[in-house]
Amino acid sequence: MVSPLLILCLALPLLLLIFFQNRRNLNKWHLPPGPKGLPIIGNLHQLDSSILYLQLWQLSKKYGPLYSLKFGLRRAIVVSSAQLAKEVLKDHDLECCGRPKLLGQQTLFYNGSEVIFSTYGEFWREIRKICIVHVLSYRHVSRFAPIRQHEVKNMMKKISRNASSSKLTNLNEALVAHASSIISRIVFGRSYDDEEAERSRFHGLLNDCQAMMVAFFFYDYIPLLGWIDRLTGQQARLDGIFKEVDKFTQEVIDEHSDPSRKRTTENEDVTDLLLQLQKRRSTSVELTDDVVKAILMV
């Protein structure tokens, strides 16, 4: 276990350099008012992710519908009125359509090679077109209706069996399992609830990915202190989860690319659709395996 005191001593010179540099840069910005934070870390210590929506609402009562926050070296503008939100999202959508590039998201989604975390531009527009026209079209979504109906019946049967035997049903767990079963069958063409080992692996990857998506990395807010993520093992954990995700998605692609696999219109899934587009080379962007994996992750 690395000593926090050792980390502080190693980081102190960099922290001082960042502090004075950041103070000079702030004079160039004309930002809305907001709560005062601490040097370097800004308002990070004042926010709790579990009740963030309440804290942002309370701050809007004090600082108005438009105020600023500081997350390390990142500046954020909070919009909390319908009128301003409409102006930002409709009138200035191109200026505000990007997302911050956070380490966990960029790593797990192959440097934003999909429709959610990619930078707005030609690549994003083409990937969005692929998803809307080829993956989420009315024809394809309608074809998956029997899968959804079958999984709903299965969930209802499980709840009914529990009720008949006077057993409690955890609806949260039942709905999560129901949703993951539908998604896995539509995207991968198989259910991971049939085999205990595969189910544990699949749900374990989902839980690990969700944890890394919201995990705190020094690199995201103070890039020069990114080495602390390696020192604490956070970077190693992220890299390990990504390797498992990449291995899983590669197995899916290999399974669907197997010439001996029986494939019909009825059992065609999202992976089949993407691999067909990849083979035909009918898109303006190259659908590499990494791009296909990133879309599957979404």
Side-chain angles (χ1 to χ4, degrees):
M1 186 71 179
V2 181
S3 168
L5 182 60
L6 176 61
I7 294 177
L8 180 61
C9 292
L10 292 174
L12 187 58
L14 280 175
L15 292 174
L16 292 174
L17 176 64
I18 293 169
F19 173 66
F20 289 113
Q21 181 64 36
N22 196 41
R23 288 197 64 178
R24 286 197 295 269
N25 292 337
L26 283 178
N27 296 328
K28 303 176 184 178
W29 294 83
H30 299 284
L31 297 170
K36 287 187 177 181
L38 294 177
I40 303 170
I41 66 172
N43 306 110
L44 285 173
H45 67 294
Q46 299 171 321
L47 301 176
D48 181 354
S49 59
S50 64
I51 56 169
L52 184 60
Y53 64 99
L54 286 177
Q55 292 180 317
L56 295 180
W57 174 75
Q58 291 167 352
L59 289 171
S60 72
K61 297 299 181 183
K62 182 176 182 180
Y63 296 101
L66 189 71
Y67 61 93
S68 62
L69 293 173
K70 185 169 177 281
F71 304 140
L73 301 184
R74 290 180 181 267
R75 278 284 173 179
I77 305 298
V78 181
V79 178
S80 55
S81 80
Q83 182 179 355
L84 284 175
K86 180 180 178 181
E87 184 175 347
V88 169
L89 298 174
K90 185 176 181 180
D91 300 338
H92 299 280
D93 59 326
L94 292 181
E95 293 90 343
C96 304
C97 64
R99 291 175 178 266
K101 292 187 176 182
L102 302 180
L103 185 61
Q105 297 167 358
Q106 290 295 306
T107 300
L108 294 174
F109 288 87
Y110 297 84
N111 294 320
S113 299
E114 33 61 56
V115 74
I116 295 181
F117 300 111
S118 62
T119 304
Y120 177 78
E122 182 60 33
F123 178 83
W124 178 86
R125 286 192 290 269
E126 184 62 24
I127 294 297
R128 178 176 178 271
K129 178 182 176 183
I130 289 171
C131 292
I132 292 176
V133 175
H134 299 286
V135 178
L136 300 175
S137 67
Y138 176 79
R139 181 169 65 89
H140 287 126
V141 172
S142 299
R143 201 176 70 232
F144 296 135
I147 293 176
R148 297 192 294 271
Q149 294 167 1
H150 180 265
E151 292 299 330
V152 168
K153 288 180 181 178
N154 280 346
M155 181 181 69
M156 293 177 67
K157 286 178 181 178
K158 291 177 182 178
I159 295 175
S160 178
R161 284 197 299 268
N162 287 344
S164 299
S165 57
S166 300
K167 292 182 180 179
L168 293 177
T169 298
N170 187 320
L171 285 180
N172 183 57
E173 292 180 359
L175 290 172
V176 169
H178 168 67
S180 65
S181 294
I182 291 177
I183 293 171
S184 60
R185 287 188 62 187
I186 290 175
V187 177
F188 307 127
R190 60 175 296 189
S191 174
Y192 292 92
D193 288 334
D194 299 334
E195 301 175 14
E196 184 66 32
E198 286 298 310
R199 179 174 59 189
S200 298
R201 181 191 181 197
F202 180 66
H203 288 290
L205 283 175
L206 286 179
N207 292 333
D208 288 341
C209 287
Q210 289 173 350
M212 287 293 98
M213 290 276 286
V214 297
F216 179 86
F217 289 90
F218 281 92
Y219 178 84
D220 289 331
Y221 305 102
I222 310 174
L224 287 176
L225 298 184
W227 53 270
I228 297 180
D229 297 322
R230 296 188 179 278
L231 202 60
T232 58
Q234 187 79 318
Q235 180 70 57
R237 185 187 176 199
L238 174 62
D239 292 341
I241 292 172
F242 172 71
K243 288 180 180 178
E244 288 300 314
V245 167
D246 185 69
K247 181 181 178 182
F248 173 82
T249 50
Q250 187 61 54
E251 288 174 1
V252 171
I253 290 176
D254 292 342
E255 179 182 331
H256 284 70
S257 301
D258 187 352
S260 63
R261 179 174 179 266
K262 293 182 179 180
R263 156 180 319 106
T264 64
T265 305
E266 288 72 24
N267 71 358
E268 190 176 54
D269 52 47
V270 171
T271 305
D272 288 320
L273 295 173
L274 293 173
L275 292 179
Q276 288 171 19
L277 290 173
Q278 182 190 61
K279 188 176 181 180
R280 291 201 301 262
R281 300 180 182 272
S282 56
T283 58
S284 61
V285 297
E286 184 182 2
L287 279 179
T288 64
D289 280 356
D290 281 355
V291 174
V292 171
K293 293 175 185 177
I295 297 175
L296 293 179
M297 283 291 294
V298 174

